[in-house]
Amino acid sequence: MTVQAQRPAEQIPGKPTSASRTTLSHIMTGSDTNLLGTVHGGVIMKLVDDAAGAVAGRHSGGPAVTASMDEMVFLEPVRVGDLVHVKAQVNWTGRSSMEVGVRVMAERWNESTPAQQVGSAYLVFAAVDADGKPRRVPPVVPETERDRRRYQEAQIRRTHRLARRQAIKELRERRAAEGMQD
């Protein structure tokens, strides 16, 4: 049993949003393309997961694993030669879980035009100990009005995730009780 599991009532000091915020940048090359000649969505998703994982590990002070990805939105295609910036921060924390918000920006590598948003995502990470068991995370302390808005929106997304899981569980139980096989 871990030390944290032995003392569940112990309060962990909070960490400000800025303590773990990070940006991962990468130039897209020909090996990143799909059949349409634009950057494959899976390449962008990996960058999103990498940046979010770094943020979750920084915030929790140790290993964290991806539990789910919500609302991965692709707004614009990314092209070969784009410099992609993946910006991530912890929006909300629970006992052992964290929601990380990610914004994907892209700009041409050889132009001085501003980067534009090309995607966004929300991921949930679970902090784990050396045995892969959940461990407590510090509360996130929103610092700005934008951080407070993101915290509130993350709580809404969490409520929806839990309600969706419960509704699906109840539907499956009802179908099983009625003898319906999938």
Side-chain angles (χ1 to χ4, degrees):
M1 184 180 279
T2 66
V3 173
Q4 287 180 348
Q6 292 172 348
R7 294 181 270 153
E10 183 180 314
Q11 184 65 17
I12 299 172
K15 282 188 176 180
T17 307
S18 62
S20 58
R21 189 177 290 142
T22 194
T23 300
L24 174 68
S25 298
H26 188 77
I27 293 178
M28 299 293 108
T29 65
S31 64
D32 299 319
T33 60
N34 59 26
L35 296 174
L36 299 175
T38 56
V39 173
H40 195 287
V43 171
I44 301 299
M45 290 173 76
K46 182 181 182 326
L47 293 173
V48 164
D49 191 48
D50 288 347
V55 166
R58 281 178 166 187
H59 183 83
S60 69
V65 296
T66 310
S68 70
M69 178 182 271
D70 289 352
E71 300 179 39
M72 180 69 217
V73 177
F74 297 98
L75 302 169
E76 298 288 335
V78 177
R79 302 172 294 157
V80 170
D82 280 352
L83 177 57
V84 173
H85 308 285
V86 183
K87 301 171 180 274
Q89 75 171 49
V90 173
N91 290 335
W92 176 90
T93 54
R95 190 184 68 75
S96 62
S97 63
M98 301 158 275
E99 183 195 88
V100 178
V102 181
R103 177 172 291 156
V104 183
M105 309 292 290
E107 62 182 306
R108 295 305 293 166
W109 69 275
N110 60 348
E111 296 175 10
S112 59
T113 56
Q116 79 175 62
Q117 186 173 353
V118 296
S120 65
Y122 300 100
L123 296 87
V124 177
F125 279 79
V128 295
D129 63 17
D131 298 322
K133 304 290 185 207
R135 62 183 175 79
R136 294 194 54 193
V137 298
V140 67
V141 180
E143 298 173 277
T144 66
E145 195 53 46
R146 175 182 267 181
D147 293 342
R148 284 185 279 284
R149 175 186 55 81
R150 288 179 174 188
Y151 184 91
Q152 292 170 333
E153 291 173 357
Q155 288 178 305
I156 293 168
R157 282 186 293 275
R158 180 177 187 273
T159 299
H160 285 233
R161 273 191 300 274
L162 295 175
R164 184 177 61 237
R165 282 185 201 148
Q166 184 62 34
I168 290 169
K169 178 183 175 190
E170 289 170 4
L171 174 65
R172 289 179 178 174
E173 288 171 353
R174 190 169 59 249
R175 288 178 58 87
E178 294 169 357
M180 296 183 171
Q181 299 292 331
D182 289 336

